[in-house]
């Protein structure tokens, strides 16, 4: 099977066969499954896991402002805080924080390492205190959503 005509290769008239199309399609996919942060062995995440990434230089400023610190992972650029799934519902995290549903990590040659593990079996940092502390250190006014539908 070949694809020809004005639509093939931007109208150049060249043809694409099925092998070429399959090879091009495979080239668009990322290799392997996305990397995710997960609760360490012996911990359970009954509410699912999302993550909030903050620049590494802000991490040490956040720690003492929180009533409870859950699992925190770090790499050179970011500290990753494990929060319950859907902790971004009706909430816009202030820049430069990045909210990651499913605790999915961006492509990187190295995985973050666990730098803080709480006592007990629950890996979460409470999201509202984390959000408020992040707002405080970035000078951002909390932007609570005024419209929440049922």
């Amino acid at each position: 099977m070949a694809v020809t005509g004005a639509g093939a290769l931007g109208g150049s008239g060249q043809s694409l066969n099925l092998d070429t199309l399959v090879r091009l399609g495979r080239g668009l996919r990322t290799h392997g499954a996305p990397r995710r942060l997960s609760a360490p062995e012996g911990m359970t995440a009954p509410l699912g896991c999302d993550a909030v990434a903050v620049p590494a230089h802000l991490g040490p400023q956040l720690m003492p402002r929180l009533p409870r610190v859950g699992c925190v992972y770090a790499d050179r650029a970011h500290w990753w805080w494990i929060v319950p799934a859907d902790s971004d519902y009706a909430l816009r995290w202030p820049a430069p924080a990045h909210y990651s549903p499913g605790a999915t990590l961006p492509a990187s040659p190295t995985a973050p390492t666990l730098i803080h593990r709480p006592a007990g079996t629950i890996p979460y940092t409470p999201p509202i205190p984390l959000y408020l502390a992040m707002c405080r250190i970035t000078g951002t006014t909390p932007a609570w959503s005024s419209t929440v539908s049922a």
Side-chain angles (χ1 to χ4, degrees), residues 1-18 20-21 24:
M1 176 180 151
V3 177
T4 60
L9 294 177
S12 67
Q14 295 178 350
S15 66
L16 295 174
N17 64 28
L18 185 57
T20 302
L21 291 172
L24 289 171

Side-chain angles (χ1 to χ4, degrees), residues 53-74:
V54 301
H57 71 278
L58 297 178
Q61 296 175 48
L62 286 169
M63 291 286 265
R65 295 175 184 264
L66 298 171
R68 180 185 191 283
V69 178
C71 289
V72 181
Y73 292 82

Side-chain angles (χ1 to χ4, degrees), residues 13-36:
Q14 295 178 350
S15 66
L16 295 174
N17 64 28
L18 185 57
D19 291 334
T20 302
L21 291 172
V22 169
R23 184 177 46 79
L24 289 171
R26 286 183 181 154
L28 294 175
R29 291 188 213 139
T30 58
H31 297 287
R35 237 188 284 190
R36 297 179 189 274

